[in-house]
Amino acid sequence: MSTQERGSAAASGAARTEAGEGARVPRPLWVEEPAAKWRMPDAVRTAAVRAVLIMSVTIIQAMVAFLSTLTGSWLAFPMVLSSVASTVVATWAVLDVWVTRQVWNQRNGVVSVPSSTARRIRRERRRSRRAERAAERDGTGGGIGGRHSPGGLSRA
């Protein structure tokens, strides 16, 4: 069965079902599914795009250097030198992606589980600060500016 025959058979079958069952809603071409991973942060994505562009230019330069070396062109030596320099820059760009990702994770993406030691220490510090502030408010820590006199003004 050729493609044209299959198309006409499907069209006639579709016409039969529409005539028999009434108007059917066409099946969508695709179904949207939620993304399995979160989107990369903007800074990391920018560094990754920059690294991919630099790496692609480096690969093109290496191919031109290789092909011009095979043909014995005068362009071979400058292209080899620029390919070496581009390789260093591409390595730096890939490291930049890694460092940017690490910095972003440290600043914004700290994943803290309930048993985390850092979370427990922060909670204890918060409790002690609240206790200190409450003690100052109750009068045990002194009045305004540390000058609390028993016969002074009352607090409002």
Side-chain angles (χ1 to χ4, degrees):
M1 181 184 274
S2 71
T3 306
Q4 193 173 19
E5 290 170 344
R6 271 187 265 136
S8 62
S12 64
R16 268 187 267 125
T17 56
E18 284 181 10
E21 299 173 5
R24 285 182 56 186
V25 178
R27 190 175 60 130
L29 293 176
W30 65 84
V31 178
E32 299 233 0
E33 296 178 2
K37 286 184 169 183
W38 292 100
R39 183 175 162 176
M40 271 195 291
D42 288 338
V44 179
R45 193 178 26 201
T46 303
V49 168
R50 186 172 43 241
V52 166
L53 290 174
I54 290 171
M55 286 173 48
S56 63
V57 168
T58 302
I59 291 170
I60 291 170
Q61 280 183 333
M63 284 301 299
V64 170
F66 175 72
L67 293 174
S68 59
T69 301
L70 286 180
T71 60
S73 173
W74 63 270
L75 194 60
F77 184 67
M79 287 307 295
V80 168
L81 289 179
S82 68
S83 293
V84 170
S86 276
T87 302
V88 171
V89 172
T91 305
W92 187 266
V94 171
L95 284 174
D96 179 46
V97 173
W98 182 67
V99 168
T100 305
R101 186 175 157 271
Q102 295 296 328
V103 167
W104 194 90
N105 281 339
Q106 283 182 355
R107 288 182 183 165
N108 306 314
V110 177
V111 177
S112 178
V113 294
S115 62
S116 171
T117 307
R119 182 183 245 187
R120 185 174 43 82
I121 291 171
R122 274 185 276 144
R123 193 178 300 133
E124 290 171 2
R125 281 189 198 145
R126 254 185 268 131
R127 281 185 192 145
S128 66
R129 276 192 234 123
R130 283 186 196 136
E132 288 174 9
R133 277 189 243 127
E136 286 179 11
R137 262 185 265 124
D138 292 342
T140 50
I144 298 173
R147 290 178 271 139
H148 181 65
S149 59
L153 298 173
S154 64
R155 293 188 186 185

